[in-house]
Amino acid sequence: MEIYISEEDLLQNIQDKFQEAYPHLRLEFFKHPHEAGEGCPRNEKWPLDTPIEDIRMIHSFGWIDISEDRTVAELEKDFYRQIGLSVQVLRKSGLNWLLTTRTDHLTLKIQDEMGAGLL
C-alpha cells in the first residue's frame, strides 16, 4: 500500500491519507529529523495546515510505501529520505497519543492493532 505525496499537499492531507489506512496511528511533522528510538522536541512541530512545499528539504513528490509489514523506523526514514519531511508516528492509547519511540522496530500493522486495543 502506498500514499501519493504531491507538491500541493498540506501536512493535513498526508495525515488524512495515512489515517485512512491506520486509524489508530497518526503522523506528526517536525522541523528537524531524529534518530531511531528518539523523539523530536514538541516546539519543533509543524502545524497541519502547513503546505509541504514551504518546509520540505527535498523538492520532489511521489509515493511512500505504508504497507502494514513496514516498521515505524523504516517509514519515518523513507519520509525524510524520499520527500524531505521529518515525521514521527504516534499511536492511540485511550484518549492520548503516544510517540512510538520505544517501539519503532514494530510494524505499522502491529502498532495499529496495539492502538485499537487488540494486542
Side-chain angles (χ1 to χ4, degrees):
M1 175 182 342
E2 295 181 317
I3 57 174
Y4 185 74
I5 311 294
S6 75
E7 291 189 11
E8 301 84 33
D9 270 328
L10 298 176
L11 297 179
Q12 182 69 58
N13 298 346
I14 300 167
Q15 168 71 285
D16 292 346
K17 293 175 195 176
F18 183 73
Q19 278 199 298
E20 284 179 31
Y22 303 104
H24 303 98
L25 302 178
R26 78 175 188 197
L27 298 175
E28 288 190 348
F29 303 86
F30 292 88
K31 295 178 182 178
H32 300 98
H34 64 283
E35 296 297 322
E38 293 181 359
C40 290
R42 304 301 290 163
N43 64 344
E44 291 191 1
K45 185 174 143 182
W46 290 109
L48 289 176
D49 62 351
T50 304
I52 65 166
E53 190 61 27
D54 293 352
I55 62 169
R56 63 190 174 151
M57 300 306 202
I58 299 171
H59 292 274
S60 67
F61 53 93
W63 296 93
I64 296 285
D65 185 0
I66 62 165
S67 299
E68 63 183 20
D69 62 337
R70 311 241 17 251
T71 68
V72 167
E74 290 170 336
L75 177 71
E76 291 174 349
K77 186 176 183 180
D78 282 354
F79 260 99
Y80 192 72
R81 190 171 30 113
Q82 294 175 20
I83 306 292
L85 291 175
S86 176
V87 303
Q88 285 203 280
V89 175
L90 287 80
R91 181 181 64 244
K92 185 102 169 130
S93 178
L95 299 176
N96 299 310
W97 289 95
L98 305 175
L99 288 173
T100 58
T101 52
R102 291 187 169 193
T103 56
D104 275 354
H105 63 285
L106 297 177
T107 66
L108 294 170
K109 179 182 180 180
I110 290 173
Q111 294 277 7
D112 195 53
E113 289 174 349
M114 290 170 67
L118 301 175
L119 296 178

